Amino acid sequence: AALDFVGARNSGGTTGGTVYMPAGIYQIKSTLKIQYSNVKLQGAGKVQVYIRRHEFAADSLLIEKTTQVNQEVNNITVEGITFLDNASAYTSSNSTPMTGAHIVFNNITTGQLHNLDITNGQAGIRIYGGADISIMNVTCLGKFDSSQHGWNSVTGVALFNSETASPKLATQIRAYDLRIGTSGGQIKGWQYGLLIKGAEDVGFTECYFGNCATHNVLIAQAADMDVQILEIMFGAGCYIDGAGSHAVLIDGSGASGTNYIGNVKFIGTDIKGQGGDSLDGIHVQTGNRTINSSENKYYGESVRGLIINGCTISGHKRHGIYLGSVIDTVISDCHICGNNYFGATTGSQQNGSGIVVHNDANNVNIDNNLIGRDSQHRQPIYDNDVLINGYAGYQIYGVDLGSTVNH
């Protein structure tokens, strides 16, 4: 009621205002909605204000245009609050685990999510379309384990395309001091820490992604969401830690080929899998798409333009970097190593190499890097500093290798 009252209020021709939440625990039994522009939901501080969702299957806070108000919703701020899920979901096998997300931005232009803590539940933050969204000093902690009742945390932060408004892609998203981690112990965090399925011009600075049950970062196209993903950058001070599988997975193999994942950059980022149960540091999925000769908008390689510069990257059970379906890759000024802690030699997949270039990859430039294989559990047949299985267009120079390139 307060959010609607402030939003609808007209002062000098301008709607909106601030709803202030004093210190306390607020148990909600239905979704809080912001459906007017220029509204700020201001808590006294994230260690003082707690919004706890009582058992209901919906989002905690939903910001979107509604048929009731029928106007665009812009310039929204949420600040100084801790969002919690239903605590009883972990104490009673009869309780209903929380579904939905804590915060949903649906087609919002200009939004700020600042100084927030988000714990558990099915999803932390979901952004559909919209533009100019700032995420700053936000912590998202989840717990995912399919064998544990209520441990259903799927995504910490997710960016999707919008089916109903423009811009269709979630655009101009900036995150600073975003921390996505675990409340359930090592490798028991969100199933996917950061999920990007439809976005453009997204940047992360001084952010942490770690201890997720499957991938810390998943950038993926799927058959049911065949849209472009463009200009994603992980910048200075970002740390991507160990996960249950690849620390970073980039996968467009499931899409039709009419769109692609373009210009993904890792600049000055640490990607280290040793702390968890990871496979590769960065893994680009194999599987080039079929190109329709009668339609020039089809793209064979699912990833077009991958830049990795000034990074420290390592795998855990496998490789530092695995390049599958990608064209136009530049890897420069990096320290890269693979690991093979289990000394695995079974199967056709080599383990513990610094960089692996699959035959789905094209136009790979590897320049001025320090690259090494696993030195502790070395299996000479399986561990290589650089392993190349591809066709053509590879340039390797200015590279300090510990052993001969295998090709």
Side-chain angles (χ1 to χ4, degrees):
L3 292 171
D4 284 342
F5 174 79
V6 167
R9 182 178 59 185
N10 190 306
S11 176
T14 301
T15 62
T18 297
V19 174
Y20 179 76
M21 300 182 70
I25 298 175
Y26 299 81
Q27 182 162 287
I28 59 174
K29 296 185 178 181
S30 61
T31 299
L32 301 175
K33 295 182 180 180
I34 297 176
Q35 48 194 346
Y36 294 90
S37 294
N38 306 314
V39 172
K40 182 175 185 179
L41 182 58
Q42 174 69 63
K46 61 183 181 179
V47 297
Q48 300 182 63
V49 176
Y50 298 86
I51 293 178
R52 183 188 295 279
R53 186 166 20 176
H54 191 61
E55 293 187 16
F56 66 92
D59 307 310
S60 294
L61 177 62
L62 174 62
I63 302 99
E64 67 174 357
K65 174 183 176 180
T66 63
T67 54
Q68 176 186 358
V69 177
N70 195 29
Q71 64 182 25
E72 300 300 324
V73 181
N74 302 310
N75 191 27
I76 302 298
T77 298
V78 183
E79 183 172 356
I81 300 170
T82 290
F83 289 84
L84 302 172
D85 71 335
N86 169 32
S88 66
Y90 306 100
T91 59
S92 170
S93 59
N94 296 321
S95 64
T96 302
M98 187 183 76
T99 59
H102 284 288
I103 301 173
V104 176
F105 268 25
N106 195 356
N107 303 319
I108 305 303
T109 298
T110 308
Q112 295 83 36
L113 298 173
H114 293 175
N115 303 314
L116 303 172
D117 280 354
I118 296 171
T119 303
N120 301 331
Q122 189 178 60
I125 298 169
R126 288 178 179 163
I127 298 174
Y128 295 87
D132 189 22
I133 308 298
S134 168
I135 303 172
M136 185 170 67
N137 191 22
V138 173
T139 298
C140 290
L141 303 180
K143 51 170 64 174
F144 182 88
D145 186 337
S146 59
S147 68
Q148 299 287 331
H149 179 74
W151 290 38
N152 67 331
S153 301
V154 179
T155 56
V157 173
L159 307 179
F160 297 100
N161 69 303
S162 169
E163 296 292 344
T164 61
S166 180
K168 185 173 183 180
L169 300 177
T171 303
Q172 294 177 315
I173 312 296
R174 295 292 181 268
Y176 177 82
D177 194 21
L178 167 66
R179 180 178 176 83
I180 298 178
T182 177
S183 66
Q186 189 174 27
I187 316 303
K188 297 290 186 180
W190 305 94
Q191 184 177 18
Y192 309 109
L194 171 66
L195 173 63
I196 300 178
K197 281 201 166 184
E200 180 178 9
D201 187 13
V202 181
F204 300 90
T205 305
E206 297 285 347
C207 296
Y208 173 87
F209 311 87
N211 276 298
C212 293
T214 305
H215 306 297
N216 293 323
V217 175
L218 173 58
I219 303 172
Q221 288 177 308
D224 63 341
M225 201 172 290
D226 187 13
V227 296
Q228 286 187 311
I229 301 171
L230 302 171
E231 300 292 345
I232 311 298
M233 188 176 80
F234 297 85
C238 287
Y239 188 102
I240 302 174
D241 210 339
S245 183
H246 308 301
V248 177
L249 174 62
I250 306 173
D251 183 7
S253 61
S256 69
T258 57
N259 288 296
Y260 58 87
I261 301 171
N263 296 330
V264 179
K265 304 179 182 71
F266 298 88
I267 310 295
T269 300
D270 283 349
I271 303 173
K272 297 181 180 179
Q274 299 99 313
D277 204 26
S278 296
L279 297 176
D280 302 339
I282 297 175
H283 184 99
V284 180
Q285 186 65 28
T286 58
N288 287 347
R289 288 90 62 92
T290 301
I291 299 177
N292 187 332
S293 59
S294 65
E295 173 57 75
N296 61 11
K297 292 183 180 180
Y298 272 67
Y299 302 99
E301 294 85 4
S302 57
V303 181
R304 307 181 69 82
L306 174 63
I307 297 176
I308 305 171
N309 174 260
C311 298
T312 300
I313 302 172
S314 64
H316 180 70
K317 292 181 180 177
R318 292 204 330 191
H319 316 298
I321 300 173
Y322 186 98
L323 299 177
S325 180
V326 58
I327 187 170
D328 298 334
T329 297
V330 177
I331 303 172
S332 60
D333 300 308
C334 295
H335 290 184
I336 304 166
C337 70
N339 286 302
N340 187 1
Y341 286 149
F342 298 95
T345 60
T346 59
S348 60
Q349 176 60 63
Q350 288 85 356
N351 293 279
S353 298
I355 300 175
V356 175
V357 182
H358 187 269
N359 58 15
D360 284 345
N362 278 287
N363 297 334
V364 178
N365 184 307
I366 302 172
D367 179 24
N368 197 38
N369 300 275
L370 176 62
I371 305 173
R373 68 175 83 171
D374 172 28
S375 60
Q376 184 176 0
H377 302 91
R378 181 172 295 179
Q379 302 289 331
I381 296 176
Y382 293 87
D383 300 343
N384 304 277
D385 292 319
V386 180
L387 174 64
I388 298 177
N389 295 319
Y391 316 79
Y394 302 103
Q395 303 176 57
I396 302 179
Y397 51 90
V399 180
D400 185 355
L401 296 175
S403 64
T404 304
V405 175
N406 185 330
H407 58 84

